[in-house]
Structure formats: C-alpha cells, structure tokens
Amino acid sequence: MSDPHICPEGETIIGLDPLARFNAVLDDARTAHADAAALILLGDLTHHGDVASYQRLHAALRNLPFPVIPMLGNHDRRDKFLTVFADAPQTRNGFVQQMRDIGQHRVITLDSLDGPPYRAGHHAGRLCVHRLAFLEDALSTRAGRHAVVCVHHPPFDTGIAGMDRIKLADGQAFLERLARHGTLHLICGHIHRTMSGSTHGVPWSMFKSPCHQGLLEFTQLNAHLSSNEPGAYGIALLTDNGIVVHSEDAGLRDRRVFGGYGTDD
Ligand SMILES: [Fe+2]
C-alpha cells in the first residue's frame, strides 16, 4: 500500500478522510489476502509527520493477519514515527530499512526520507552512503534469492512533470547498482498512480494511494495536483521464477460480477 497520508482527526485531503480511505483498502486486503506474507507500506504514512497521525495509523494496523513492513516517505518524520512505531527495525545508523526473506525472494525496503534536517517544502528523496551500504549488503548476501527492492521515491523520470522534480537524487547510480546485482523488481510510491516500466534494465511498478491520486499530467510543474479517484493497493505474487504484480481498487465487493458465456447475466 502506497502513500496513506494519515492526518490528525478531523482533517481531510481534497475532501477525503485519509484514515477512512485507508481502512477501506485495509478491509479489502484483510478479506481477500489474509494469507499474505507481509503488508508493505510504501511511505508517506502520514501527511504531516506528527505523532497523533502515527498513533492513528498504528491503531488501524492492530490485529492484522499479516506482519507490516513500514517505510518512510517525504511527508514522514523519522523521529516522530519511531516514537510510535518503536519496534520498527532500524539499521545501525537509525534508518528505517529492513530485509525479509519470503521463500525464494529477499524483499529489501529502503528509507529515502532526506533529513534531518528537514527543510520546509523539500520533498525530493535521498539515499546516503549508510543506506546504500545496507542495500549493498542485502543484495550481496541473498544466497540466490530474487531481490525485490522497495523505495518511496522513484529513481527515474516518470513523465509526471511535477513529481519528476522531487524524485530520488542520484537515481541513475542507484539503478545501475540494482541492475549490477540482477534485481528482479523495484517497487516505488510517491506518484499516487498505477504505473509500470523498466529503467536501466530494472523493471518497476507503482500503485495508487488508498487516499488521493496523482494526475496524468505531462506538462504542469505542480507536484500537488490530486484527484479523488478510488483508492487502491497492489498485490505481488512471488512465484518460483519471478514476480507478478496486480493492482486492485478498494470497495469492489459491491460491484456486479457477470459469469458464464451465452447468458445475459
Ligand atoms: Fe505521497
């Protein structure tokens, strides 16, 4: 799940209640995919990086049938997050990164939040030498497992003009590192749209947010263009020989499903 942007109680984003939208997606996932090996939250957990919003998120994640792997994005604040998610795995240097082996796959989640210091209005991402050293170690020690790497900020231009101004810094070097290690797949957040592609030989996927969505806007240099399209989340099937990535909208349980050929219902 990408970019839930949980807010303090009573606050909305373009008229949407982020926690209600997140709970709707979570309910769908809990019902349809209770057997999932893990739920990865791809960053921008909260909108303002405040303790109250992390507490609301923490409460929403109680009693899930699968473990949660939280990641940070540009709207998060690491110290505030760790105040509430005190048992979240951290690297030696205090970054919110981890690796988890699931069958024949090693899932590596990175922390691309650029700070502290946190500069007002700065939303681009960064992976410093410490975070890259963790990645290098995770990729080097995986004993033949497929590598699936998750990072909030895309390390490439997406064509969405406003967002490309706040992508991951040094993205080309990062992608070349992933390609050198034969990374199976890269999963990003940040854009709030369903997208896929391949850059520098690394295939990647992105998903809509449970809350507000980004626009397909190739010219306007505005990173805040949003719409109230349905919330969504991604499902990754880790197969013996690769990965299959799906995207599913929230609230589809009320849809009409038609079955069988030769009938009109
Ligand atoms: Fe976001």
Side-chain angles (χ1 to χ4, degrees):
M1 291 179 193
S2 177
D3 295 77
H5 284 254
I6 304 301
C7 284
E9 191 166 0
E11 192 174 317
T12 60
I13 299 174
I14 63 165
L16 307 173
D17 178 343
L19 184 59
R21 298 266 294 199
F22 181 66
N23 279 331
V25 172
L26 207 51
D27 279 351
D28 282 6
R30 192 192 332 242
T31 304
H33 307 292
D35 61 338
L39 164 61
I40 301 173
L41 300 175
L42 288 160
D44 282 0
L45 304 175
T46 64
H47 198 51
H48 302 298
D50 60 296
V51 167
S53 297
Y54 286 117
Q55 286 169 336
R56 299 185 84 205
L57 175 64
H58 196 270
L61 295 171
R62 270 201 296 261
N63 300 322
L64 291 176
F66 29 67
V68 176
I69 301 176
M71 292 168 52
L72 300 182
N74 44 295
H75 282 264
D76 291 304
R77 292 295 174 261
R78 198 175 293 108
D79 53 337
K80 302 291 195 313
F81 165 80
L82 289 169
T83 301
V84 179
F85 287 77
D87 53 0
Q90 299 174 53
T91 65
R92 266 203 315 261
N93 302 93
F95 294 104
V96 181
Q97 302 194 139
Q98 60 176 293
M99 62 179 106
R100 180 177 300 235
D101 292 336
I102 301 172
Q104 282 309 300
H105 293 67
R106 170 162 288 185
V107 177
I108 304 163
T109 52
L110 300 177
D111 174 348
S112 58
L113 173 58
D114 189 6
Y118 301 113
R119 290 166 279 163
H122 176 75
H123 288 288
R126 192 167 85 91
L127 293 172
C128 60
V129 290
H130 302 298
R131 286 173 271 189
L132 289 171
F134 174 90
L135 171 65
E136 187 68 28
D137 179 59
L139 289 170
S140 303
T141 60
R142 62 199 156 99
R145 289 184 181 83
H146 301 296
V148 177
V149 176
C150 303
V151 64
H152 181 74
H153 293 80
F156 45 78
D157 282 335
T158 60
I160 311 291
M163 299 304 289
D164 288 345
R165 306 172 85 188
I166 53 172
K167 62 188 173 189
L168 185 73
D170 296 326
Q172 180 163 338
F174 173 70
L175 283 166
E176 286 171 355
R177 184 189 296 267
L178 296 188
R180 206 162 49 237
H181 281 279
T183 299
L184 177 70
H185 208 76
L186 172 67
I187 299 177
C188 303
H190 201 42
I191 307 293
H192 298 222
R193 288 191 62 83
T194 310
M195 294 178 63
S196 60
S198 179
T199 309
H200 285 296
V202 179
W204 49 263
S205 302
M206 293 183 223
F207 308 106
K208 285 185 175 178
S209 161
C211 191
H212 53 299
Q213 314 306 353
L215 298 188
L216 186 60
E217 175 50 65
F218 290 147
T219 53
Q220 289 193 55
L221 297 175
N222 180 348
H224 300 289
L225 292 170
S226 297
S227 85
N228 61 352
E229 295 165 36
Y233 65 108
I235 302 104
L237 306 179
L238 306 182
T239 63
D240 287 346
N241 55 6
I243 183 170
V244 177
V245 179
H246 295 271
S247 176
E248 181 81 327
D249 285 354
L252 294 180
R253 273 178 285 170
D254 295 334
R255 68 187 160 183
R256 293 183 68 196
V257 176
F258 300 83
Y261 295 99
T263 62
D264 59 2
D265 60 1

